[in-house]
Amino acid sequence: MADYQFAVNKPDRVLINYNTVRSAELKAVYESLVSNRTVQSIVSDFAHEKEDNVRNCISFLHAIDLIERGGDDRVVSPLNRDMFPNLEFEARFLYHLRQQRFPKNHLTRIQNVALETADRSVTLDVLLPRVKGELDQYDFAWNETKLRMWRALSTQLGLVSETKTRGVILSPCRRLLYDLLELYEQQEDSTDLYSALTWIEENFFNVFETTTGSPRVHPAISDVLQNMESEDVLELRGMSDARDTVTLPESVHTQRSRSVNVYDLATLPDSPTYQYPLSQFEQVITQ
């Protein structure tokens, strides 16, 4: 696999201050880059959008190494497209957020803090003081506006979901976990669940509640795995001769925790349940 490349001359703007960008626009702009293009041609393609917002999308994609900008800042080209070339935009976006170095790694760390509540959901008023306490090393002040930006971006990517009664549900969409488990199997020729989940945590987003002893999958992540299992899309097995096991906590499907080692994926269902959020709704943006 090719080495990850960091873009040059990246904008200094704090990522979480791009509060007008949305995943739908970012995806549309990124997927319009079949080859090198000028900034003006991209802006023209999305003429019904405010020009400043399109330029903000280009700037954000540049900031997380999804695109490179030429020396005169007029030409835009895709970057790191040979990293996991068949990976969907949503998972690729999360991968790029995970690769960012301090201080541009703050967006990916919010989910880490949210999962530390050990709950399946969290409201922003509960999350905010935790973020302020644990992520106080950044040169900006955390507030609810910033968390709303993270929530909107993460919801559209399928990392979390939102309800009126429970706030932010910390479970990713089924398609995201399916794609990453499938990619790990293809990359490593292995269906070892502990190794796959460790790889996901290192490269995309946190999945474990604890990693000492027998690693325990966070309930919000485990719920999705067990939902997929109940739908016969994923098989999870415990093998006595396996070296590493992970613990899945109790859920609506099981009344007690259990240890598993390996997984098998069935064919991806042709169902809205196994689509990314952006694919479930008609896009507002047209090119």
Side-chain angles (χ1 to χ4, degrees):
M1 186 176 69
D3 292 332
Y4 186 88
Q5 297 182 54
F6 291 93
V8 298
N9 299 320
K10 299 206 289 188
D12 294 328
R13 186 174 175 182
V14 176
L15 292 178
I16 206 163
N17 284 342
Y18 285 86
N19 51 27
T20 63
V21 302
R22 294 292 182 266
S23 298
E25 289 93 337
L26 291 166
K27 182 176 183 178
V29 171
Y30 177 74
E31 292 185 345
S32 75
L33 298 174
V34 179
S35 59
N36 294 1
R37 301 188 63 189
T38 64
V39 171
Q40 191 54 51
S41 71
I42 298 171
V43 170
S44 298
D45 273 356
F46 300 93
H48 59 287
E49 288 287 309
K50 292 182 179 179
E51 181 173 334
D52 285 349
N53 195 45
V54 178
R55 291 184 179 275
N56 281 337
C57 287
I58 294 171
S59 180
F60 192 99
L61 294 171
H62 183 207
I64 64 170
D65 314 311
L66 278 166
I67 64 173
E68 185 62 280
R69 301 184 72 163
D72 59 3
D73 211 32
R74 291 187 302 170
V75 178
V76 174
S77 57
L79 184 63
N80 291 308
R81 193 161 276 183
D82 50 354
M83 301 283 298
F84 314 127
N86 298 318
L87 194 60
E88 294 289 341
F89 171 82
E90 289 84 347
R92 180 181 301 279
F93 191 97
L94 292 170
Y95 175 75
H96 277 250
L97 288 183
R98 202 65 154 180
Q99 307 315 304
Q100 300 308 304
R101 299 166 177 165
F102 180 87
K104 291 187 178 295
N105 63 343
H106 53 277
L107 269 177
T108 194
R109 294 188 64 194
I110 299 172
Q111 187 245 9
N112 303 0
V113 176
L115 290 182
E116 288 174 7
T117 64
D119 291 328
R120 290 172 164 86
S121 62
V122 65
T123 58
L124 294 190
D125 60 332
V126 170
L127 181 59
L128 181 57
R130 290 177 174 268
V131 168
K132 285 182 175 180
E134 296 192 34
L135 304 182
D136 61 351
Q137 62 271 60
Y138 297 99
D139 191 24
F140 59 83
W142 290 99
N143 55 43
E144 192 164 314
T145 298
K146 288 180 170 58
L147 291 189
R148 285 198 295 267
M149 183 276 186
W150 165 79
R151 181 183 63 190
L153 202 65
S154 300
T155 299
Q156 294 168 9
L157 292 170
L159 179 62
V160 301
S161 57
E162 182 184 2
T163 67
K164 292 182 178 179
T165 56
R166 295 175 58 195
V168 179
I169 308 298
L170 299 174
S171 296
C173 69
R174 291 167 172 81
R175 178 62 183 272
L176 181 57
L177 278 179
Y178 184 99
D179 281 355
L180 295 180
L181 290 173
E182 182 182 52
L183 179 60
Y184 178 80
E185 182 178 352
Q186 293 170 349
Q187 294 276 123
E188 304 296 332
D189 192 26
S190 169
T191 57
D192 180 90
L193 185 60
Y194 170 73
S195 298
L197 293 178
T198 299
W199 176 79
I200 291 172
E201 179 152 310
E202 290 173 350
N203 292 287
F204 297 90
F205 53 87
N206 277 20
V207 296
F208 289 111
E209 183 176 27
T210 62
T211 54
T212 57
S214 177
R216 182 180 176 89
V217 180
H218 192 282
I221 311 299
S222 177
D223 285 351
V224 183
L225 294 173
Q226 295 189 70
N227 285 340
M228 293 168 67
E229 185 180 38
S230 71
E231 294 157 357
D232 297 323
V233 176
L234 175 68
E235 182 182 359
L236 300 169
R237 302 194 309 274
M239 300 177 63
S240 58
D241 59 344
R243 185 181 63 181
D244 296 312
T245 63
V246 298
T247 299
L248 301 180
E250 61 277 3
S251 71
V252 296
H253 302 291
T254 59
Q255 299 305 308
R256 58 184 179 181
S257 62
R258 59 188 175 120
S259 296
V260 293
N261 312 97
V262 296
Y263 68 93
D264 284 310
L265 287 169
T267 302
L268 179 69
D270 183 14
S271 163
T273 307
Y274 284 86
Q275 293 178 354
Y276 287 102
L278 291 178
S279 300
Q280 295 179 24
F281 303 98
E282 183 177 349
Q283 295 296 307
V284 175
I285 298 176
T286 57
Q287 295 185 32

